Each structure stands twice: as C-alpha cells, then as structure tokens.
Amino acid sequence: MSRFLLCLLALTVSFTSSFSQEMFHKNSVIAHRGAWKAQGLPQNSLASLDEAVRLKCEGSEFDVWMTADGILVVNHDAEYLEMPIETSTFKELRSKKLPNGEKIPTVKEYLKKGMKQTGTKLILEIKPSKISVERSKELAAKCVDQVKELKAEKWVDYITFSYDAGIKVIELDPKANVAYLNGEKSPAELKEAGFFGFDYNIRVVKEKPQWIKEAQDLGLTVNVWTVNKVEDMQWLLDQKVDFITTDEPELLFETIGKR
Ligand code: MG
C-alpha cells in the first residue's frame, strides 16, 4: 500500500473514532421544521435544513410520513400541496414543487444532506398514521431501517406523538434517543419504557413545571415546543431545560446571547 493510502486510512480511522456527540453544537436551539420563517423558506425543505445548519442550531426538526407506495418523505401536514401523502404515490407527490423549486424531500435525501456536517443534529418526527396504528409502527420501523442503512444513528434523535411508534423505535434500536411528544406520560413512565426524554408543548410544561426536574433527575432530557415568545424562552432557560424547539431560532440565539 502506498504511503498516501496509508495516510488516508489513518485519517479516516481517526475521524471515525473521534466522531462523537461532543461535535454537535451545544446551545439547546432546535429549529422547528428547519429554520424557515425569517428567510421565507418552505418548512421542512432541504433549504430550511441548510439554514438551521448555517445558524449553528443544535438540532433541526423535521416531520416524516410514508407514501401509499412505502416511500418516506418529509412534510409537516398529512397533505402535500393538497395531495394526501398516505394515499398518494411518491411519483404523484414528486410531480408538484415547493415554492422554492424543491420537490418534497425523501428522508434519505434529507438525512444524506444532514450528514454532510456534524454541528446540527437531525430531529426526526415520526408522524402518527391517519390510517392505522399498525401503519405508524411500520413507518417507525422503516425510519430506523433508513437511519441504519445510511449509518446516520449519531445524527438522529427521534420524536413522536405515537407512543406505539416510539416503543417500536426503542425495540428496534435500544440505543436510539426517542422523546415523546403527546404530553400525558409522566417522566417516570417514560423512563420505565426506555425513552430518552419528553418533548412537550409549552402549555403542558407550564401546568406541570415539576416534570422538568423530575425528568432530569431520572436522566431524561427535556425539550419544549413551540416556543416563539421571548418570555417563554427566558423562563425555560431559567429552568435549564435541555432543548427549546422554536420557529424563531434567531430570536432564541439573541435571547441566549443577552443573558
Ligand atoms: Mg414536527
């Protein structure tokens, strides 16, 4: 083997072994559906992921559905430009473009883009199927498969409103970070089930502020959505929550910077 190849091999090995969670930004800022608002980008577009990366957010959240023919795509609503995702084929969905000219991203495209950097984590939301719980679990399993196929585990944390989908991910990848969104489970229940943390609506967290400490004492993480007001940001920063999910990442950075 040439000296050059040996050098290259050594560099690759050292990059792989030194790749750790420490490389991601640590600022608690999670861009909700990417960073789209300030720049007028479509939510959940590849461009909104790029913008979250450019802003150096700790994470960029995105929503995942499964098409009628089993392809994983990134979109918030159950419908994409008036086409119901779960009953449309991938080809049908790709026939229409987002306002910025992008097509609806596949999860594969989205993850591959996110894996070109190591500052911003990819917060993958598994959307509960409107057809059946079984389909939510199938989507969860396919998400885990896709992440494994791309070796994207270090980049991806999962969140979901579907308790069954969350349990499915934990079952298939016990090391995966999975947070629950729906708000009704106590920290102790989530810990018992193997969750990484909770990711609850700000209203829930204001009603049960004791859950923050309870969760953190159990080693769970606390994420709160969707936090767009400075006073709520301030309060959550005072409570030392782990993550704040916002449509206004610029405002959250500014708020953190002034403290
Ligand atoms: Mg979401």
Side-chain angles (χ1 to χ4, degrees):
M1 201 181 290
S2 74
R3 247 180 109 140
F4 172 74
L5 275 176
L6 274 172
C7 243
L8 200 65
L9 186 69
L11 272 173
T12 313
V13 169
S14 95
F15 177 77
T16 314
S17 59
S18 66
F19 184 105
S20 75
Q21 296 297 306
E22 303 312 310
M23 294 174 73
F24 293 101
H25 304 303
K26 292 279 174 272
N27 51 45
S28 306
V29 180
I30 311 292
H32 183 232
R33 308 177 195 170
W36 52 273
K37 199 170 176 181
Q39 303 295 329
L41 298 166
Q43 297 177 356
N44 278 310
S45 59
L46 294 172
S48 73
L49 169 60
D50 274 343
E51 180 63 5
V53 169
R54 192 187 70 80
L55 292 172
K56 298 186 165 45
C57 295
E58 180 162 349
S60 189
E61 187 261 0
F62 62 106
D63 305 285
V64 175
W65 294 92
M66 181 165 62
T67 66
D69 49 344
I71 308 294
L72 306 183
V73 293
V74 181
N75 193 68
H76 179 263
D77 294 347
E79 297 192 345
Y80 170 72
L81 304 176
E82 297 181 347
M83 289 181 282
I85 295 174
E86 292 194 276
T87 52
S88 301
T89 63
F90 179 60
K91 197 175 167 194
E92 283 166 345
L93 295 168
R94 288 282 250 203
S95 69
K96 286 195 193 173
K97 286 180 180 172
L98 289 164
N100 71 340
E102 272 183 49
K103 291 174 179 173
I104 186 169
T106 61
V107 168
K108 189 170 194 169
E109 289 165 344
Y110 202 94
L111 293 177
K112 279 174 100 168
K113 183 166 253 304
M115 289 172 74
K116 291 194 172 135
Q117 53 81 51
T118 56
T120 302
K121 288 201 77 168
L122 309 172
I123 315 301
L124 189 165
E125 180 177 345
I126 300 165
K127 284 294 192 187
S129 168
K130 294 195 177 293
I131 298 169
S132 67
V133 173
E134 275 315 304
R135 206 169 193 275
S136 298
K137 286 155 78 174
E138 188 188 342
L139 170 57
K142 281 196 171 219
C143 287
V144 173
D145 280 350
Q146 181 64 89
V147 167
K148 282 187 179 168
E149 182 200 312
L150 293 173
K151 298 190 170 38
E153 289 93 337
K154 290 190 172 91
W155 279 265
V156 174
D157 287 354
Y158 299 86
I159 55 173
T160 186
F161 282 97
S162 164
Y163 191 75
D164 298 278
I167 294 292
K168 181 53 111 181
V169 175
I170 293 164
E171 193 183 295
L172 294 171
D173 183 0
K175 284 191 192 156
N177 295 338
V178 187
Y180 184 56
L181 291 163
N182 208 40
E184 84 286 11
K185 302 272 186 198
S186 70
E189 286 173 295
L190 294 175
K191 174 74 180 177
E192 174 68 24
F195 282 85
F196 163 73
F198 72 66
D199 185 355
Y200 286 169
N201 187 294
I202 178 81
R203 275 178 282 117
V204 174
V205 179
K206 278 182 174 170
E207 275 166 29
K208 297 199 171 79
Q210 71 276 15
W211 276 6
I212 298 171
K213 191 168 182 306
E214 269 179 54
Q216 290 178 335
D217 284 350
L218 289 165
L220 297 176
T221 55
V222 171
N223 191 346
V224 185
W225 57 275
T226 304
V227 184
N228 295 335
K229 289 190 209 145
V230 172
E231 72 234 46
D232 290 337
M233 293 173 179
Q234 294 280 18
W235 180 69
L236 292 168
L237 291 166
D238 288 343
Q239 305 306 307
K240 302 197 167 28
V241 299
D242 300 276
F243 313 107
I244 298 175
T245 300
T246 178
D247 294 326
E248 311 273 4
E250 299 87 348
L251 182 62
L252 180 51
F253 276 120
E254 196 187 312
T255 306
I256 293 168
K258 282 184 190 160
R259 288 165 66 89

